[in-house]
Amino acid sequence: MQTKILKIDSADAGKTDMQEAAALIRAGELVAFPTETVYGLGADALRPEASRKIYEAKGRPSDNPLIVHIAEFEDLVSIAREVPRQAKLLADAFWPGPLTMIVWKNDRVPYETTGGMETVAVRMPDHPVALRLIRESGCLVAAPSANISGRPSPTEAAHVARDMDGRIPMILDGGAVGIGIESTIIDLTEETPMILRPGYITQEMLTDVLGEEVRIDPGIIASNSEQKPKAPGMKYKHYAPKADLILVEGETGKVIETINRLAGERRAAGKKVGIIATDETMEHYDGADTVSIGARSDEDAIARHLYKLLREFDDRGADIIYSESFATPRIGQAIMNRLLKAAGHQIITV
Ligand code: AMP
Ligand code: MG
C-alpha cells in the first residue's frame, strides 16, 4: 500500500481541503493525524472492522483498548450508557484538551474498539487538524498513538512515516505536536475518580475542578507492583527504545559523575553509549553522543522532546542510553512514568 503524506498548515486547518482524509475514515480506512499530545492512528470508532485494522497496523495486542476522539460533548453522551456527573465539569474545564475520560459504554461502541471492555475511553483533542478530521468525516475516531506497538509515541509526522509507511493509506502532517506525552486518563466509572495514566492535566488540577478526592491508580506508581494497572495499556513495556535505557537519579554532581563513569566503562567494552542530559549539565559529560532534552526549568520542553530523543538514539544505533531523571514539579510524574516504562524500571539512585 502506498502511504500518502498530506502537509497541512495547522493555522490554516479550517480552510484546508481534508475531504480525501475524511472519506478514507468514512470508508473504514486508517488515517494518521496530529493531536496536541502525540500523533494518532485513526479509524471509524463505531465499525468493528475499522478498529481491527488499527490493531493490525500497529501490531497492538487486541486487549489494549483505543481512545475514541470526539469533537462535541454530545458525542460522549451518544456512546455512554450513562454520563457521570463529573464528565460535564471536566469537559468544561479541560476539553478540548489532553484529558481522556473512561465511562460505561453503550451498544453503539463495538468491543473491537474497547478491547472487549464494557467501558470506553473518550477525549476531545485540542488540535485544529484533529477536530477538522473528526467533523468532516462525521465519525467518532478511534485512535491510539500512531507508532508500531512498543516503539516511542510519534511527535512528528516523520516518526509516523518511519513506523507506518506502506501500512496505512494516509498521514496528515500538521508539524510537531505541542505537548509530546499522551493524555491523562481519568476513570469515572467508580465512586471515586481515579487517574489511570498521568499526563499534562495533573491530579491537583482535576481535584480543583471536581472539588472531590481524585485517586491515582496504585498500579502505575509502584515500580514492581503486584497490583495490575487498570488501564490495560499501562501493563505493557511501552514507549521503549531499542537501546537499553538506564535512569540515574540523585544530587546533580553525583549523577554526572556516575553517568560519566558507567558510560566510560561501557564504551571501553565496545558499546555505543548515548546520554540524555539537560542544557545545564550538557557540558559536563564526555563523549559525542550526549543530547540535551532542554532546560531543566522548562518541563514542557522536556516532555515535548522525550520521545523524539529516544527515537534519535535508535536511529544512531545506540546500545545503551543513560538518562538523568526529571522529577519536575508539575508534570514530572507523567514524564517519569514514561521514562521508567521505557527503561523497564532500571533506575540507579546515587
Ligand atoms: P494510546 O492511545 O496508545 O496511548 O493507548 C490508549 C490508552 O488508553 C491505553 O493505555 C489503554 O489501556 C487506555 N484505555 C483505553 N480505553 C480504556 C478503558 N476502557 N479502560 C481503561 N483504560 C483504557
Ligand atoms: Mg500508545
Side-chain angles (χ1 to χ4, degrees), residues 58 60 145 147 153 182 238-239:
K58 279 181 65 91
R60 183 178 176 105
S145 50
N147 52 285
S153 295
E182 303 84 350
H238 230 176
Y239 322 119

Side-chain angles (χ1 to χ4, degrees), residues 30-33 39-43 53-54 57-58 142-146 164 168:
L30 305 185
V31 175
F33 61 97
Y39 269 75
L41 181 59
K53 282 186 190 163
I54 293 180
K58 279 181 65 91
S145 50
M164 291 296 159
I168 62 174

Side-chain angles (χ1 to χ4, degrees), residues 21-35 38-47 49-55 57-58 66-70 113 125 130 133-134 137 139-147 154 160 164 167-172:
L24 282 168
I25 296 286
R26 273 195 301 275
E29 295 298 331
L30 305 185
V31 175
F33 61 97
T35 79
V38 300
Y39 269 75
L41 181 59
D44 184 345
L46 303 187
R47 275 167 67 172
E49 69 282 7
S51 280
R52 243 181 261 129
K53 282 186 190 163
I54 293 180
Y55 291 94
K58 279 181 65 91
L66 311 174
I67 294 173
V68 177
H69 290 68
I70 62 172
T113 297
L133 178 68
I134 298 166
S137 66
C139 296
L140 311 192
V141 177
S145 50
N147 52 285
V160 181
M164 291 296 159
R167 292 172 177 252
I168 62 174
M170 185 173 278
I171 299 169
L172 298 178

Side-chain angles (χ1 to χ4, degrees), residues 60 64-67 102 117 119 121 144-145 182 185 196-197 231-233:
R60 183 178 176 105
N64 189 3
L66 311 174
I67 294 173
I102 308 285
M117 297 178 82
T119 55
S145 50
E182 303 84 350
I185 301 180
L196 306 188
R197 177 171 74 184

